[in-house]
Amino acid sequence: MRQKKPRPRFPGLKLKDEDRELLRRKARERLTVRTWKRIRMLQLLDEGKTLAATAAAVGSAVPSVRRVGERYLAAGVEVAL
């Protein structure tokens, strides 16, 4: 059986002020559930919640939360959503 490589620890994220405001505005719009969950994931990670706590709060899986966070860190809010 092959051993999985351990994933590096998620570094956490802090939203830029303009991204935080953009997410706040978008959350008031009419959205798909997928987009709303991604917005909420970014907000909770910004508040310092763990991947597991964020996943539980939005009803998602930890790898999904990690991917959204990593996309934000790599390319910004529009790509993450």
Side-chain angles (χ1 to χ4, degrees), residues 19-81:
D19 290 343
R20 195 174 292 120
E21 183 58 34
L22 174 69
L23 292 176
R24 200 173 295 130
R25 275 186 279 130
K26 276 191 172 282
R28 293 185 188 125
E29 296 174 6
R30 200 172 170 102
L31 304 165
T32 63
V33 171
R34 175 199 265 169
T35 303
W36 181 87
K37 281 185 176 186
R38 289 177 179 175
I39 288 171
R40 193 66 188 130
M41 285 177 196
L42 290 172
Q43 290 172 332
L44 290 170
L45 290 172
D46 181 50
E47 292 172 10
K49 303 288 186 207
T50 63
L51 293 173
T54 300
V58 298
S60 189
V62 171
S64 297
V65 176
R66 180 187 305 273
R67 274 192 303 272
V68 170
E70 288 173 347
R71 284 183 195 141
Y72 174 77
L73 292 173
V77 73
E78 292 298 328
V79 173
L81 299 181

